[in-house]
Amino acid sequence: MLTDQDLPWDATPFLPPDQERTLDVLREAARSCRACDLFFSGTQTVFGEGPERADVMMIGEQPGDMEDRAGQPFVGPAGRVLDEALDEVGIDRSRVYVTNVVKHFKWVARGKRRIHSKPNAREIRACRPWLDAELEDVQPRVVVLLGATAAQALLGGKFRVTQERGKPLEDTSLAPYVVATVHPASILRAPDPETRESEGRAFVEDLRTVKRLLE
Ligand code: URA
């Protein structure tokens, strides 16, 4: 088992040279990333997906159980919530690049089930060069941060999604506009159908703001 001392500070040594960084080359290189020890627990690296020049980049926390098996981001229940909301506001999925701040599934066993476990600061930092390279390549007009982990990883630990959700932020280095909102999985975890319904509507409203920024 590798210890923290054996691991590089972050994923930079695993990235291809600057001039070779197309999404396909990055995706291939990320398959053998060992910058943190999550490669032990995840089945495979789940790199971002979408067009090379997408207008919108949506950034979640980390792949879930289904994403880990499929090798694709947002193909499980949270992805369905996201797809439905995008459809409702009329954002064409083919204009969207989806990815995560951490590209391996971190989980703990509960019986036969693999339960999501939140990535820590070191794992997020280790994975960051992949996300920076995706941003550099895609150059989205709008970055959408899905949930507190993604928002705080990119905007700082003091950022509060509850207070800032749905507000276009223009003074970041990520993209011309950044919008933070809740993670679609949080809608699925709502305690009752009414809350789920109202949380779903609020999420759609945040994506309507994104749609307006694209017009
Ligand atoms: N949750 C995420 O944050 N990302 C995924 O890809 C799936 C679920």
Side-chain angles (χ1 to χ4, degrees):
M1 175 91 169
L2 295 179
T3 67
D4 251 21
Q5 254 90 55
D6 300 315
L7 295 164
W9 177 250
D10 68 21
T12 305
F14 296 92
L15 265 75
D18 266 2
Q19 63 282 9
E20 291 172 22
R21 291 183 189 174
T22 62
L23 290 176
D24 286 346
V25 171
L26 287 164
R27 185 173 296 109
E28 186 55 33
R31 283 156 60 92
S32 39
C33 184
R34 304 283 183 267
C36 77
D37 54 10
L38 291 186
F39 74 91
F40 282 117
S41 62
T43 306
Q44 56 191 317
T45 307
V46 180
F47 204 70
E49 250 185 23
E52 190 99 27
R53 284 276 182 268
D55 298 320
V56 187
M57 185 184 286
M58 302 211 146
I59 307 176
E61 181 191 276
Q62 61 160 344
D65 180 71
M66 287 180 72
E67 288 79 11
D68 175 66
R69 294 171 202 273
Q72 294 174 278
F74 285 103
V75 291
R80 273 196 293 284
V81 173
L82 181 60
D83 285 349
E84 280 168 21
L86 286 171
D87 198 41
E88 189 167 340
V89 303
I91 297 178
D92 186 349
R93 192 67 163 71
S94 67
R95 292 174 74 185
V96 180
Y97 184 90
V98 284
T99 192
N100 287 296
V101 288
V102 167
K103 290 172 173 55
H104 276 106
F105 180 38
K106 182 177 181 182
W107 55 278
V108 289
R110 193 174 299 155
K112 286 192 180 156
R113 294 179 60 211
R114 303 190 304 168
I115 306 297
H116 159 276
S117 170
K118 199 169 135 77
N120 63 34
R122 197 194 109 60
E123 291 150 356
I124 291 171
R125 190 178 61 233
C127 217
R128 179 66 188 260
W130 297 114
L131 184 60
D132 287 341
E134 288 174 295
L135 281 162
E136 175 97 23
D137 222 32
V138 176
Q139 297 194 15
R141 180 165 166 76
V142 187
V143 163
V144 182
L145 302 173
L146 299 168
T149 303
Q152 293 186 345
L154 291 159
L155 300 175
K158 295 207 174 94
F159 187 86
R160 293 287 169 265
V161 172
T162 42
Q163 286 161 26
E164 305 295 332
R165 67 177 294 176
K167 296 182 193 164
L169 310 170
E170 292 181 50
D171 54 350
T172 79
S173 56
L174 303 171
Y177 298 103
V178 173
V179 176
T181 182
V182 295
H183 194 287
S186 71
I187 299 167
L188 295 171
R189 288 194 303 267
D192 53 69
E194 292 75 28
T195 315
R196 188 164 166 165
E197 166 81 21
S198 62
E199 284 298 314
R201 273 201 309 273
F203 184 58
V204 166
E205 282 317 305
D206 291 345
L207 294 192
R208 245 185 253 295
T209 301
V210 175
K211 165 87 171 158
R212 276 197 294 275
L213 295 171
L214 294 174
E215 282 161 359

